[in-house]
Amino acid sequence: MQSLTKKLPKNISEESNIVYAKIGKRELHLNVFYPVDKGKKNLPAVLMIYGGGWASGDTSLIIPMAERLASRGFVTVTPEYRLSPESLYPAAIYDLKAAVRWMRANANKYHIDGNKIAAYGCSAGGQLAALLGTTNGDKKFEGEEGNLNYSSSIQAIVDIDGVVDFFGEGSEEVKNNPAKPSAAHRWFGVSAKDNPQLWEEAGAYNHTTKNTPPIEFINSAVQRFHAGRDEMIQLLKKYKIYYEVHNLPNTIHTFWLFEPWFEKTFEYTVNFLDKVFKEK
């Protein structure tokens, strides 16, 4: 198992620490990676969402993949978002929808095709990516941050080991242990027992409709991170929505951070996005 080191590919450029939204005096930042030779052609774009149990993590966790995707012709954006020690759910989803709106507001500058924006997320980031896509157009999840005259809708989802139903089979987040609350419990600020409606609201499965964008699931061998996936797939089949499932055997939860699985994750992601966006 080989860890990754940051090395910017020669054919991409980077702009860092850009403010994309403000909440009072709090500034939210993002980084953008894009092909050097992008010219005047509009390119598909990917919002990259890191994980960390909604409580920790930062953009450094997602930058290696953002760079690799940019080297293959995508504009990639890595936003920070408010974590549970700072703000409880739904602050994170408000932030990420604002980041998508920023992408459209700045589409001309970075040659982004506003009709081809995907969300890619790992672990808690995968949960957020799935929720982001299944709540397209739902005003309840928009928040009031930045570029409100632009759409926050996305056209594809890549969910890497992110739960889509907190009450799904195998989920351990709903276990009620006041002495040791789960990561989701800390994010919601209340137990599943005391406010099940809130926990259900944050599950992408519960928002899956005929308008849900195509989705790719890339999963480890750790079953609890598949919670709600198979049930959601049944709905996707019902609505004839394109989806892919890739299970990586004998893998730890954070497989995407290490070789050889980083490269495999990259290949699955590029193939999926190329297929989805080529057909649009």
Side-chain angles (χ1 to χ4, degrees):
M1 185 167 65
Q2 179 182 353
S3 62
L4 301 172
T5 57
K6 185 178 185 299
K7 185 178 181 181
L8 190 68
K10 293 181 179 180
N11 67 329
I12 68 169
S13 292
E14 172 186 3
E15 293 186 26
S16 302
N17 210 35
I18 302 169
V19 175
Y20 74 86
K22 293 183 179 180
I23 306 95
K25 294 183 179 180
R26 170 70 158 100
E27 294 182 339
L28 293 168
H29 303 83
L30 54 73
N31 311 305
V32 184
F33 302 88
Y34 52 88
V36 172
D37 58 348
K38 63 183 184 298
K40 296 182 179 180
K41 179 183 178 182
N42 289 334
L43 302 171
V46 188
L47 184 77
M48 314 287 294
I49 311 171
Y50 56 86
W54 309 277
S56 63
D58 58 52
T59 58
S60 66
L61 295 171
I62 209 80
I63 282 175
M65 186 63 74
E67 292 173 345
R68 286 284 277 130
L69 289 174
S71 72
R72 287 289 292 270
F74 296 90
V75 178
T76 55
V77 175
T78 63
E80 66 169 329
Y81 59 92
R82 286 174 290 170
L83 301 169
S84 59
E86 178 181 1
S87 296
L88 301 180
Y89 168 89
I93 198 71
Y94 290 165
D95 296 348
L96 294 168
K97 284 185 179 279
V100 177
R101 293 194 295 268
W102 180 93
M103 292 168 74
R104 286 201 169 89
N106 291 274
N108 289 338
K109 180 177 181 179
Y110 296 104
H111 297 280
I112 292 172
D113 185 337
N115 295 313
K116 297 180 179 181
I117 297 179
Y120 167 109
C122 306
S123 192
Q127 179 273 328
L128 288 164
L131 184 61
L132 193 69
T134 53
T135 57
N136 279 345
D138 190 333
K139 293 183 179 179
K140 181 176 184 178
F141 293 87
E142 287 296 325
E144 299 179 352
E145 309 164 27
N147 298 297
L148 293 173
N149 54 329
Y150 288 88
S151 170
S152 66
S153 293
I154 61 170
Q155 287 70 53
I157 302 164
V158 179
D159 178 356
I160 300 175
D161 248 14
V163 301
V164 294
D165 182 4
F166 289 97
F167 294 96
E169 184 178 356
S171 174
E172 295 185 8
E173 296 293 338
V174 294
K175 293 182 178 178
N176 188 25
N177 182 356
K180 190 178 180 182
S182 69
H185 185 164
R186 295 193 299 273
W187 186 44
F188 292 120
V190 65
S191 71
K193 178 181 179 181
D194 291 335
N195 194 340
Q197 293 82 9
L198 188 69
W199 287 60
E200 289 174 354
E201 178 185 282
Y205 166 76
N206 298 298
H207 301 279
T208 304
T209 69
K210 64 180 181 179
N211 298 317
T212 294
I215 183 169
E216 177 180 44
F217 300 96
I218 306 176
N219 288 116
S220 71
V222 186
Q223 290 295 315
R224 69 187 183 92
F225 294 104
H226 307 184
R229 184 195 68 183
D230 293 345
E231 292 82 357
M232 185 171 175
I233 286 172
Q234 293 307 308
L235 292 179
L236 297 172
K237 289 180 178 178
K238 174 184 174 181
Y239 296 125
K240 296 181 172 56
I241 296 168
Y242 181 73
Y243 72 91
E244 292 182 9
V245 181
H246 303 284
N247 292 304
L248 297 177
N250 304 313
T251 48
I252 59 174
H253 171 51
T254 55
F255 64 88
W256 61 88
L257 295 174
F258 305 96
E259 292 291 13
W261 305 301
F262 173 89
E263 193 64 26
K264 180 62 68 174
T265 301
F266 168 73
E267 291 171 2
Y268 283 144
T269 300
V270 167
N271 291 339
F272 170 75
L273 294 178
D274 281 348
K275 179 177 179 61
V276 170
F277 289 148
K278 187 175 182 179
E279 293 179 351
K280 289 186 70 66

